[in-house]
């Protein structure tokens, strides 16, 4: 999945394309919103009226992502390589651990 690059190299490339402080803030908030929304969608099968919660989290998370990229003036990395969808979450984890 990683090709000839280590996860650290993927994260470094992701980090390089997310330099604007506003974009970084949008990703810091938006990525966990998207990640949390995904398992919450499963609850819709048990609680049919629950769908607005994960839908709102998912949509707001993506709005933040694209707003950040609009300000930075760069396309999201995942548009070039779909694997960056997973790298974004790893970037967020590294950021939360203070490694970035």
């Amino acid at each position: 999945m990683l090709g000839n690059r280590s996860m650290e190299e993927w994260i470094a490339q992701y980090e390089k394309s997310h330099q604007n402080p506003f974009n970084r803030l949008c990703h810091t908030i938006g990525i966990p919103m998207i990640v949390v929304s995904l398992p919450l969608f499963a609850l819709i099968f048990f609680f049919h009226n629950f769908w607005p919660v994960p839908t709102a989290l998912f949509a707001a998370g993506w709005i933040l992502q694209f707003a950040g990229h609009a300000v930075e003036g760069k396309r999201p990395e995942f548009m070039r390589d779909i694997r960056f969808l997973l790298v974004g979450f790893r970037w967020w984890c590294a950021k939360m651990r203070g490694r970035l």
Side-chain angles (χ1 to χ4, degrees):
M1 178 193 137
L2 297 177
N4 295 330
R5 293 191 269 178
S6 69
M7 182 53 73
E8 290 76 22
E9 290 171 313
W10 283 95
I11 291 172
Q13 183 176 344
Y14 189 91
E15 174 81 4
K16 187 178 177 182
S17 68
H18 297 81
Q19 293 297 308
N20 181 283
F22 180 75
N23 190 17
R24 293 173 66 85
L25 177 65
C26 288
H27 280 65
T28 301
I29 297 167
I31 289 171
M33 291 174 77
I34 295 166
V35 171
V36 167
S37 75
L38 297 175
L40 290 179
F41 276 111
L43 293 177
I44 295 170
F45 294 108
F46 304 104
F47 307 100
H48 301 294
N49 293 332
F50 188 67
W51 67 267
V53 174
T55 302
L57 284 170
F58 188 82
W62 278 110
I63 289 168
L64 284 169
Q65 303 286 319
F66 284 105
H69 279 285
V71 169
E72 183 142 355
K74 294 180 184 172
R75 288 177 27 172
E77 287 287 338
F78 75 85
M79 289 186 170
R80 197 169 50 82
D81 189 330
I82 195 82
R83 293 176 285 188
F84 276 103
L85 287 173
L86 298 175
V87 175
F89 180 65
R90 294 294 298 266
W91 170 85
W92 181 84
C93 290
K95 183 175 170 72
M96 292 301 105
R97 283 188 237 130
R99 295 186 181 169
L100 296 177

